[in-house]
Amino acid sequence: MFGPHSYQHPRDEILQAMERIYRYRMTTTSGGNLSIREANGDVWITPARIDKGALRRDDIVCVRPDGELLGVRRPSSELPIHQEIRRRRPELGGIVHAHPTALVAFSLVHQVPDTRLFHQARRVCGEVGFAPYELPGSVALGNRVADSFEQGYDCVILENHGVVTAGATFQEAFRRFETLEFTAKTIIKAKLLGGEIRFLSGEQIGMEQQRALNLEEFEPWYPSSHENELRSRLSEFVRRAYRQRLFISTQGSYSVRVDGSAFLITPYQVDRGMAGVQDLVLIRDGKVETAKSPSRAALVHQAIYQRHPEVGAIVNAYPVNATAFSVTGVTLDSRTIPESYVVMRHVVRAPFGTQFGDGQDLAALLSVKQPAIILENDGVLVTGSDVLEAFDRLEVLESTAEAIINARAIGALQPLSSDITKELDQAFFGC
C-alpha cells in the first residue's frame, strides 16, 4: 500500500480502505467518503446513503470527466468537496473524508492537532489546515475546504464536522488520515494523563532523516525451515499488532532473532497491516539481503541483539496510551497490578534522539529487569525472549498505561507497596 503505484482496481482500493476505517471506528455507518482519480480523469467514489460497514465492490461509483455516472448507486453527497479540491490541486489523486472521533473532537473545539508531536507525523501530514463551517454536501463547503488545500495544506479539519486528507496517491491520502488521527488521539490521552505535552523542534524533526543505514548487501541462501517458520510467525504478529492498534500503517517495527548472527525485521515503508512473509528483511553479520530495505530501526535492533543474547524479539510500537507517556514527563509506573509488575518489571525512559544513533545507548538501558523503554516522542521499545513474549509485554504495557490514564478520572493512583513488590520478586524471580 506504500508503493508508488497500485495494481489494484480503484474499487478494491476504496473498499479495502473503508473496511479498515469502519472496523477501527474511524467513521460511522453513514459517514465518510473516499475517492480516487485516474489519469484519464475518471473519479471513483463511495456512494451516497449506504451502510459503510457493508460496502460492496459494485457499490463504488465512477464519475466521468463529462459528468456521466457509471454504477448502480449515486455518488456521495460530498462529491463537491472532492471536485473542488482537485480543481485547485490537480495533482491530488486520492482523497479521504471521514469522522474519526479524535479529529472530530478537535473540530468541535475549533483546533487542529500539532503534528510536531512526532517526527513521522510531521513528515507524513505536514501542518494541518482548518475550514470554517458550511452546510454538508454544499458547493460552499467544497469551496471552503478547497481554499485550505489551495494554501498548501494536505490535511484539513472541518469545523464541527470531521477531516479531509489528500495525496498524490490514494495510499498517501490514507497514510495521512490514519497518522493524523493517531496524533490527535495521543494528544487527547496526554492531556488526560496530565503533565506538559512536549512538541519537537524543527531540528529534532529533521534528525530521523539524517540517519542512514548504508548496509552492505548480501545474496541469501535458500531460507531454512527455521527461518521460514520465523517469517510466518513474525508476519502474523505484525498484522496482529496493526489489528490491535499497537501499530499504524506508517509506524511500527518488529524483529526476531534467527541465530547468533542474523535477525528478520519489518521493511521500510510497507503497510504494517498488509506485510507478508516475503516483505520481511533478513540482516546477517551487519549486511542486508539484496534488493530489500529494512526498517530504519535496524541498527538499534542489531545493537540490542549483540549486547543481549537472551533477547529473541524486539518491537518498536506506538500504542496510543503508552505513547501518551512518551510525549509527557509522566512516569509509567509498572506497580499497578501484579501482572504488570511481573511482566514489565521496570520501564525506563530514553531522551529523544537516542533512537537515531547506532543503538548502543538504547541497548545499554535494557536488562532482564528493564525490558521496556519509553522513547520520548517516539512510542515504546519492548523486548522479549521470543515473538510471543515481546508481544505480550507490549500488550501489558499498553493495558497498564490505559488503566493509569483511566484511573486519573477516579482518584489518586495507589501503586503496589514495596512489601508486595518484594514478595513478587521473590516468588517470580527468586530475588
Side-chain angles (χ1 to χ4, degrees):
M1 193 169 177
F2 282 5
H5 302 289
S6 173
Y7 295 99
Q8 288 182 298
H9 191 282
R11 279 193 170 111
D12 298 316
E13 278 196 89
I14 289 173
L15 187 63
Q16 182 185 84
M18 185 57 82
E19 285 175 349
R20 288 194 193 190
I21 290 169
Y22 185 78
R23 181 187 308 138
Y24 300 121
R25 299 188 63 201
M26 293 191 286
T27 202
T28 59
T29 297
S30 59
N33 39 82
L34 318 176
S35 76
I36 297 172
R37 187 186 58 195
E38 294 194 89
N40 65 359
D42 287 351
V43 171
W44 299 83
I45 189 167
T46 45
R49 298 181 181 179
I50 194 167
D51 180 359
K52 299 302 190 299
L55 194 65
R56 298 180 305 171
R57 190 176 189 273
D58 292 344
D59 293 325
I60 309 303
V61 182
C62 179
V63 182
R64 289 282 172 81
D66 62 3
E68 179 188 4
L69 301 179
L70 300 180
V72 297
R73 306 284 183 183
R74 301 292 300 175
S76 167
S77 62
E78 301 287 16
L79 177 62
I81 294 179
H82 299 245
Q83 290 174 322
E84 190 60 23
I85 289 172
R86 291 194 174 103
R87 191 183 73 79
R88 312 273 192 98
R89 297 271 303 276
E91 78 279 9
L92 297 175
I95 295 175
V96 174
H97 169 46
H99 310 140
T101 55
L103 291 174
V104 168
F106 272 85
S107 84
L108 299 182
V109 297
H110 301 184
Q111 296 179 28
V112 300
D114 190 337
T115 55
R116 293 178 301 130
L117 193 69
F118 306 114
H119 64 93
Q120 183 84 330
R122 194 63 167 186
R123 182 175 65 81
V124 171
C125 300
E127 191 174 350
V128 181
F130 186 84
Y133 178 84
E134 293 288 354
L135 182 69
S138 67
V139 172
L141 177 60
N143 284 325
R144 285 284 198 184
V145 177
D147 286 344
S148 292
F149 277 92
E150 192 172 23
Q151 293 170 34
Y153 298 108
D154 295 314
C155 303
V156 178
I157 299 293
L158 281 57
E159 180 181 324
N160 290 75
H161 190 156
V163 66
V164 177
T165 65
T169 64
F170 183 72
Q171 295 91 343
E172 186 173 50
F174 181 82
R175 291 201 301 272
R176 286 172 172 155
F177 168 76
E178 191 177 42
T179 303
L180 189 62
E181 169 68 358
F182 170 72
T183 302
K185 286 170 68 174
T186 305
I187 291 171
I188 292 169
K189 291 285 187 177
K191 285 184 176 291
L192 293 173
L193 179 60
E196 183 178 354
I197 299 177
R198 180 179 48 254
F199 293 94
L200 300 175
S201 67
E203 181 181 358
Q204 289 175 314
I205 290 168
M207 289 175 69
E208 194 267 347
Q209 294 302 309
Q210 298 171 15
R211 176 173 54 175
L213 295 180
N214 295 325
L215 298 178
E216 185 180 340
E217 293 188 350
F218 77 99
E219 191 69 43
W221 294 95
Y222 288 107
S224 65
S225 57
H226 174 61
E227 180 186 326
N228 281 336
E229 183 175 358
L230 289 175
R231 282 182 179 270
S232 177
R233 192 151 178 76
L234 183 58
S235 63
E236 171 194 338
F237 273 91
V238 169
R239 292 192 297 272
R240 187 192 293 191
Y242 181 83
R243 292 195 301 269
Q244 296 292 90
R245 311 315 285 155
L246 304 171
F247 287 1
I248 60 174
S249 59
T250 57
Q251 294 175 280
S253 302
Y254 212 146
S255 72
V256 62
R257 188 193 292 273
V258 176
D259 54 43
S261 63
F263 63 95
L264 290 163
I265 192 167
T266 42
Y268 181 59
Q269 288 197 328
V270 171
D271 186 340
R272 278 61 166 178
M274 303 291 289
V277 294
Q278 72 284 352
D279 297 309
L280 299 175
V281 184
L282 180 66
I283 295 180
R284 182 176 293 281
D285 296 320
K287 300 178 181 179
V288 61
E289 64 175 300
T290 302
K292 287 195 174 183
S293 180
S295 163
R296 294 288 185 92
L299 289 182
V300 170
H301 290 220
Q302 179 173 267
I304 294 171
Y305 286 126
Q306 289 174 345
R307 187 179 180 115
H308 299 282
E310 76 281 2
V311 171
I314 305 166
V315 192
N316 285 91
Y318 301 85
V320 67
N321 293 283
T323 301
F325 282 84
S326 86
V327 303
T328 68
V330 181
T331 299
L332 202 165
D333 193 341
S334 64
R335 300 171 303 155
T336 51
I337 62 173
E339 181 193 26
S340 296
Y341 182 75
V342 169
V343 171
M344 294 191 302
R345 302 303 302 276
H346 303 287
V347 180
V348 295
R349 180 180 292 266
F352 185 83
T354 312
Q355 70 273 36
F356 301 139
D358 61 8
Q360 298 301 325
D361 290 341
L362 283 179
L365 287 174
L366 292 164
S367 69
V368 173
K369 291 185 177 181
Q370 296 180 173
I373 303 175
I374 298 289
L375 303 174
E376 288 188 351
N377 291 76
D378 205 13
V380 301
L381 184 149
V382 177
T383 61
S385 60
D386 57 22
V387 171
L388 178 59
E389 184 176 60
F391 189 85
D392 178 53
R393 188 164 278 150
L394 175 61
E395 283 196 315
V396 171
L397 179 67
E398 172 64 354
S399 295
T400 303
E402 184 173 12
I404 292 172
I405 293 172
N406 290 345
R408 292 183 70 88
I410 304 170
L413 183 67
Q414 303 293 325
L416 300 173
S417 69
S418 57
D419 287 340
I420 292 175
T421 57
K422 286 178 182 177
E423 181 184 41
L424 292 170
D425 285 339
Q426 181 62 44
F428 288 92
F429 306 106
C431 60

